[in-house]
Amino acid sequence: MEIIDKANAEALERILAAQPILADVKAAGDVIDGLDEGVILHAGPPITWERMCGPMRGAVAGAIVLEGWAPDLASAERMAAAGDISFYPNHHFDAVGPMTGITTRSQPVLVVENRTFGNRACCTLNEGLGKVMRFGGNDSEVLARLRWLADTLGPALSTALLRRGGLDLKNIVARGLAMGDEMHQRNVACSSLLMRDMAPVLAEAMGSDTSLSSIFDFIGSNDQFFLNIAMAMGKAIMDPVRGIESCSIVTAMSRNGTDFGVWVSGTGDTWFTAPANMPDGLYFPGFTVADANPDMGDSTIIETVGLGGFAMAASPAVAGFVGAGTASEAVNYTLDMYEITVGENPDWTMPALDFRGVPTGIDIRLVIETGIPPTINTGIAHREPGVGQVGAGIVRAPMACFEQAVVGLADSLGPS
Amino acid sequence: MSGVIVNRVRKGFYLDSVALMRLSKAVSILDGVEDAALMIGTPSNKQFLAEAGLLADDGEEATVSDLIIGIRAKDHKAAKAALAHTDALLKGSARRPGGQKWRPKTLRAAMQVAPDANLAIISVPGTFAAAEARKALRLGLHVMVFSDNVPLEDEISLKREAQERGQLVMGPDCGTAIINGIPLVFANRVPKGSIGIIAASGTGFQEVASLIARAGQGISQGIGTGGRDLADEVGGITTLMAIDALDADPETEKIILLSKPPGPRVATAIVDRVALSPKAFTLCFLELEQIDLPNNATLTPTLKAAAEHALGNITFGESFLIEDIVDTLTTRGRWVRGLYTGGTLCAEAQMILIKGGLGVASNAPVPGATEAAADSHLMHVMLDLGADEYTAGRPHPMIDPEVRSEHLHNALNNEEVAVLLLDVVIGFGAHRDPAGWVAAVLDGVRHQRPTIIASVCGTEGDPQIRSTQVRKLEHAGVIVAPSNAQAAELALRIVQRWEK
């Protein structure tokens, strides 16, 4: 017990000591070692083409065409089915991706450096709403937008960030929490704060380039632009917590649309998986639960650092996806999450809880002991590729992952 | 998409998108509505509305600072009604007030909510009780373990750890305690007074405490120990700590110790410890009638006798004249049937019947009684309906009187039964009207029935109010004795007269 508690205290200390800085935007192939031709990274724990859900297959096919490895979507699918593509989880490459999370070498990625520990983590740029690759979209409109991200937005952000010397994310998140963001469903405050901060340097960097207004328009019309930044931040914060011997703190929660996977510090890179749950929530006009794909994406790294479903008290509206939707229910979600975490983050506080810090450091022992699974705020993808987001809601991490993880950790500790 | 599409635009309106999605859902399920959505007029939202067949020309004109109400209904009338309903919803008239209070789900969180708490009550399945109790101890709390089916070795290790920490473990299987005047779990409202109680049994505790209250006195502290504390394996750890605590308590003048007979080694330890105390002890080990005691201690045979002794050798219920009552009764049948919800009350009654020379069978036999069997209908049968075989998978009969129902009907319909003996236990935790329940059952019996004798264990301060309960029973033709012991004595005299 004492050994685990000590290891967990070390884990919490590392989480709280993190200094995540949005440093750059670069082509994934230039910053992710091993992301070579024929390699596709995806969200969640490892999965084969055969077991991938519809949206993920759609995104894979789109990515193959985008990279020029196949001339069209049909031949791209044949390539994937024939085993010509190597699939790996983003998490194995210090990266994360939303929903399908498909990452290939030419895509621009946000690079967040954790200056305390010297590690860095990457995440693709948010594509906005509608038909997008993260929901399995792969038509010419989707691919054209991805090229615009690579050719225009990525380089512009890169230049601006380098000029500015990076952007302190902990500070933006702290302010966002006070403005109603929880960083998973709600990023409108942080996206706006980012825009406000970056606009002068972007303007400076771009000069009279007419694409500046299209950049502002793209970021300004996308309330979730900051989500991907928060994800890279989450990954950069949690990676230094990996591999602490005897530590029972969760270092990643992630879903590939088929399975939900959990990493625990003390068990290194072993995935504890179970079938992904269906979110409970509200649907956009014209869609119902029958259209929904099971829970998907690496975005649960947000909850892993104590935001999203854990910081619901900061974002009362989000609780409206299920239940009565009262502000007190939002607070209750967060209070429950204190039951399964080992600490609080004094840098990230919530006004509705008298500026108490967000619940931080999920302890698998507490999850099992209390029977309370982590609460996750999430978007809901259509089960068919390319349709896009059909709703949003709340989902619970499957208990089976944590049951296996506790056994796995016990095995790693050996006989007592 | 056959219906009528109606859009209304509210200029300069904003509401959170989740709130709008909730309203959309509420409107879309109205009669005659095929689909509906409320969305802010961004380009991507308009696309959603268009694809869902909800966008009309009005909506097309809306801007990012406007709200679009899109309704597709079976006809104009339904659309108009839905629009009116939407307006009402937007005014907030349909919003519900309030919220939910959060309750801690672990001791750790509870300690943050109530940092001054110093006692935890554990009521979880027995397999998990020790783990929770251990957590409570390590948080510095005294512990009352209500759970039963806790392994003996867990009880021993818990009590040893508590002893080292100077904290008390009441239980496992501890249903009753009164700490600083507060009744815990199954307990009665009893005034503060100078008598301390240490009890291994719940209903024994309740009976003695209630008798003390009804005599106009009170108790200082009432500490439960759990039924196995005086077994040699456990060594009386809690009982001995409780004696220490009451010895040190200036409000406690006399101490009553209630238990089944202790193990031989523990008995010595207890007697030695009692001898060191400056205070007077009343001991009641029910099934044990002989033990060498120091001068400051007295052994009493029944719960009633224990209360009487501690109260200064008073006599309870003197006006309850058993011989006079027996004279008024016409006898029928031959046997006593005791249907008890309280285990110790059942034991006390058995002792009284056996002492009077009756042959008694019980599912929880005291020494001298036999184990109840199929042919025990030709004996006096005393059932403890709170025993495991009756409560597996259902509530205790003190909570849910239905457990007693079938047995009650059988006894009422059995012409061989002369006396039906009942306990009615009230107080916190108990059924809200157990006497009313019994009365309702008796009300349905038209034929001649056995003599029904009951006692009501509890006080005027209890939620059920003892006098009210007594009145209900008497109204139903039940003879209500002042104590369980007197109820058993009356039953004894009735069948003794028959045997003559």
Side-chain angles (χ1 to χ4, degrees):
Chain A
M1 276 300 231
E2 287 76 20
I3 300 169
I4 298 176
D5 289 341
K6 210 170 146 228
N8 289 356
E10 168 69 22
L12 181 64
E13 205 171 292
R14 291 189 198 178
I15 295 171
L16 299 184
Q19 279 182 285
I21 307 293
L22 177 58
D24 204 349
V25 175
K26 285 181 136 170
D30 294 343
V31 32
I32 299 175
D33 286 340
L35 185 50
D36 303 322
E37 184 155 333
V39 175
I40 293 183
L41 307 185
H42 59 80
I47 189 164
T48 57
W49 169 260
E50 288 70 32
R51 294 187 66 242
M52 281 181 191
C53 65
M56 189 171 275
R57 285 186 174 201
V60 164
I64 290 171
V65 174
L66 180 77
E67 294 295 337
W69 302 336
D72 55 58
L73 294 168
S75 48
E77 283 189 24
R78 279 197 299 277
M79 244 182 115
D84 296 340
I85 301 292
S86 303
F87 294 110
Y88 302 106
N90 285 309
H91 270 290
H92 294 189
F93 289 80
D94 302 342
V96 281
M99 286 293 162
T100 58
I102 296 304
T103 311
T104 48
R105 49 183 300 120
S106 77
Q107 286 175 274
V109 289
L110 299 148
V111 181
V112 173
E113 290 176 6
N114 183 340
R115 296 219 166 134
T116 312
F117 298 94
N119 63 300
R120 64 183 183 191
C122 301
C123 183
T124 49
L125 288 162
N126 192 289
E127 306 160 78
L129 284 168
K131 282 184 187 170
V132 286
M133 182 177 274
R134 72 175 184 281
F135 289 106
N138 56 18
D139 64 16
S140 56
E141 178 194 335
V142 172
L143 301 186
R145 189 186 306 103
L146 287 169
R147 288 192 186 99
W148 180 81
L149 292 179
D151 298 341
T152 306
L153 180 61
L157 285 173
S158 173
T159 311
L161 283 167
L162 292 175
R163 245 172 212 261
R164 205 196 167 286
L167 193 64
D168 183 343
L169 295 176
K170 231 171 170 175
N171 170 285
I172 291 189
V173 167
R175 285 191 282 162
L177 281 168
M179 296 166 72
D181 279 2
E182 42 67 83
M183 261 52 71
H184 200 162
Q185 295 278 19
R186 285 297 151 119
N187 281 284
V188 62
C190 281
S191 299
S192 306
L193 289 168
L194 173 100
M195 224 357 211
R196 197 174 74 159
D197 194 286
M198 294 290 290
V201 273
L202 268 171
E204 232 173 72
M206 306 281 295
S208 58
D209 190 330
T210 50
S211 57
L212 182 61
S213 75
S214 67
I215 288 171
F216 285 164
D217 184 46
F218 181 79
I219 300 175
S221 61
N222 181 357
D223 288 352
Q224 288 287 69
F225 187 77
F226 192 79
L227 170 62
N228 300 38
I229 300 171
M231 286 173 61
M233 173 195 74
K235 180 67 176 159
I237 292 172
M238 291 316 297
D239 268 352
V241 183
R242 285 160 60 187
I244 302 174
E245 204 175 323
S246 318
C247 179
S248 63
I249 299 299
V250 172
T251 51
M253 296 190 288
S254 181
R255 322 82 106 196
N256 56 33
T258 304
D259 302 319
F260 193 109
V262 168
W263 262 358
V264 177
S265 176
T267 51
D269 294 349
T270 304
W271 286 103
F272 301 102
T273 63
N277 287 333
M278 288 302 272
D280 190 3
L282 295 170
Y283 288 84
F284 295 154
F287 299 103
T288 70
V289 65
D291 301 309
N293 197 76
D295 196 20
M296 183 164 65
D298 288 329
S299 56
T300 24
I301 195 71
I302 300 287
E303 277 76 12
T304 313
V305 291
L307 300 170
F310 284 54
M312 202 104 86
S315 202
V318 175
F321 281 117
V322 293
T326 59
S328 63
E329 279 178 322
V331 166
N332 292 352
Y333 276 110
T334 294
L335 291 176
D336 275 353
M337 294 302 102
Y338 286 111
E339 299 270 28
I340 58 169
T341 46
V342 294
E344 298 171 13
N345 188 335
D347 291 337
W348 287 341
T349 62
M350 294 164 287
L353 283 175
D354 294 328
F355 296 94
R356 192 173 175 187
V358 296
T360 305
I362 304 166
D363 185 344
I364 54 170
R365 296 176 305 168
L366 295 175
V367 173
I368 293 300
E369 181 190 329
T370 59
I372 302 172
T375 301
I376 295 156
N377 293 344
T378 189
I380 304 173
H382 198 286
R383 59 169 65 250
E384 300 298 330
V387 181
Q389 186 172 358
V390 294
I394 292 170
V395 68
R396 296 286 190 166
M399 282 304 281
C401 297
F402 298 91
E403 288 160 7
Q404 294 166 39
V406 161
V407 174
L409 183 67
D411 287 346
S412 83
L413 290 168
S416 58
Chain B
M1 298 195 186
S2 53
V4 180
I5 300 169
V6 177
N7 280 185
R8 179 182 292 173
V9 175
R10 290 185 51 164
K11 303 294 280 180
F13 182 95
Y14 172 79
L15 189 62
D16 178 273
S17 63
V18 184
L20 290 176
M21 286 170 86
R22 291 178 68 88
L23 292 172
S24 303
K25 196 174 168 185
V27 177
S28 64
I29 57 172
L30 294 175
D31 273 352
V33 174
E34 292 174 1
D35 200 1
L38 282 73
M39 291 187 115
I40 299 297
T42 64
S44 58
N45 283 346
K46 283 193 225 173
Q47 197 181 334
F48 267 117
L49 290 169
E51 284 171 12
L54 287 167
L55 193 64
D57 291 347
D58 291 358
E60 205 76 73
E61 303 295 315
T63 74
V64 289
S65 42
D66 306 333
L67 171 73
I68 305 170
I69 302 167
I71 292 169
R72 193 173 71 247
K74 70 173 173 14
D75 53 33
H76 280 286
K77 195 175 162 226
K80 207 177 153 193
L83 272 176
H85 190 81
T86 307
D87 284 342
L89 287 172
L90 286 169
K91 275 186 197 135
S93 56
R95 269 175 226 160
R96 359 106 299 271
Q100 295 174 337
K101 196 173 154 45
W102 181 79
R103 305 190 77 93
K105 294 175 181 65
T106 61
L107 281 169
R108 191 170 70 121
M111 285 302 282
Q112 289 176 341
V113 176
D116 297 333
N118 69 353
L119 179 119
I121 298 171
I122 311 288
S123 176
V124 297
T127 324
F128 307 106
E132 293 301 320
R134 208 162 272 123
K135 280 180 219 161
L137 286 174
R138 288 169 192 173
L139 287 166
L141 302 167
H142 300 290
V143 180
M144 176 174 182
V145 184
F146 176 60
S147 314
D148 55 5
N149 296 317
V150 176
L152 184 65
E153 53 273 24
D154 281 339
E155 175 169 356
I156 294 167
S157 78
L158 272 177
K159 287 186 169 174
R160 286 192 180 150
E161 179 169 348
Q163 190 177 29
E164 273 168 36
R165 293 172 174 273
Q167 292 155 240
L168 206 55
V169 172
M170 298 190 280
D173 202 8
C174 175
T176 305
I178 299 179
I179 303 295
N180 296 331
I182 299 169
L184 301 177
V185 194
F186 291 99
N188 305 88
R189 178 78 75 195
V190 176
K192 275 288 251 180
S194 61
I195 301 172
I197 297 178
I198 302 168
S201 110
T203 44
F205 181 122
Q206 288 188 274
E207 176 79 349
V208 170
S210 298
L211 290 175
I212 290 170
R214 275 151 53 199
Q217 295 214 33
I219 70 164
S220 54
Q221 301 289 347
I223 298 168
T225 65
R228 294 185 303 216
D229 192 62
L230 292 187
D232 278 340
E233 295 91 327
V234 184
I237 292 174
T238 300
T239 305
L240 290 167
M241 288 178 76
I243 294 175
D244 289 346
L246 293 182
D247 252 2
D249 174 28
E251 288 177 27
T252 302
E253 290 168 15
K254 295 175 178 175
I255 298 168
I256 299 177
L257 178 55
L258 305 173
S259 173
K260 284 185 177 169
R265 272 183 290 141
V266 182
T268 309
I270 299 287
V271 169
D272 290 351
R273 176 62 188 84
V274 167
L276 295 176
S277 172
K279 300 187 179 178
F281 278 73
T282 305
L283 309 185
C284 178
F285 294 136
L286 273 188
E287 298 150 32
L288 183 75
E289 298 192 39
Q290 195 51 53
I291 185 171
D292 289 332
L293 290 175
N295 291 333
N296 63 332
T298 304
L299 187 69
T300 56
T302 61
L303 300 168
K304 172 172 167 274
E308 287 174 334
H309 180 262
L311 288 163
N313 285 320
I314 65 157
T315 305
F316 254 113
E318 279 177 307
S319 60
F320 187 73
L321 299 169
I322 288 175
E323 297 303 327
D324 291 1
I325 297 169
V326 175
D327 287 340
T328 65
L329 299 170
T330 45
T331 17
R332 160 212 119 138
R334 176 170 182 187
W335 307 113
V336 177
R337 289 286 178 270
L339 300 177
Y340 275 85
T341 61
T344 306
L345 298 175
C346 183
E348 184 188 41
Q350 288 181 59
M351 297 300 297
I352 288 165
L353 298 186
I354 290 166
K355 223 170 165 187
L358 303 191
V360 174
S362 174
N363 65 323
V366 301
T370 57
E371 188 78 39
D375 59 356
S376 16
H377 61 277
L378 294 176
M379 293 182 81
H380 304 290
V381 181
M382 304 291 283
L383 292 183
D384 172 9
L385 297 173
D388 292 346
E389 61 264 37
Y390 296 111
T391 53
R394 60 190 298 180
H396 192 279
M398 273 162 58
I399 303 169
D400 178 7
E402 275 303 319
V403 181
R404 196 147 59 171
S405 182
E406 188 194 331
H407 301 276
L408 201 48
H409 281 290
N410 287 346
L412 288 169
N413 293 328
N414 184 345
E415 290 181 1
E416 289 297 301
V417 174
V419 178
L420 186 52
L421 198 48
L422 304 172
D423 62 346
V424 172
V425 181
I426 61 171
F428 295 94
H431 186 262
R432 62 184 174 78
D433 184 16
W437 184 88
V438 170
V441 172
L442 297 180
D443 198 33
V445 181
R446 293 279 165 256
H447 56 76
Q448 202 209 351
R449 51 193 208 192
T451 301
I452 304 164
I453 308 168
S455 67
V456 179
C457 172
T459 70
E460 285 304 286
D462 287 332
Q464 301 89 342
I465 309 173
R466 184 172 181 277
S467 58
T468 306
Q469 294 284 297
V470 169
R471 213 175 311 122
K472 284 186 184 182
L473 290 170
E474 288 179 341
H475 189 72
V478 176
I479 300 170
V480 182
S483 64
N484 178 57
Q486 282 156 295
E489 279 160 22
L490 176 57
L492 171 67
R493 289 296 300 132
I494 292 170
V495 293
Q496 275 177 339
R497 185 168 290 198
W498 187 91
E499 305 218 334
K500 282 174 197 161

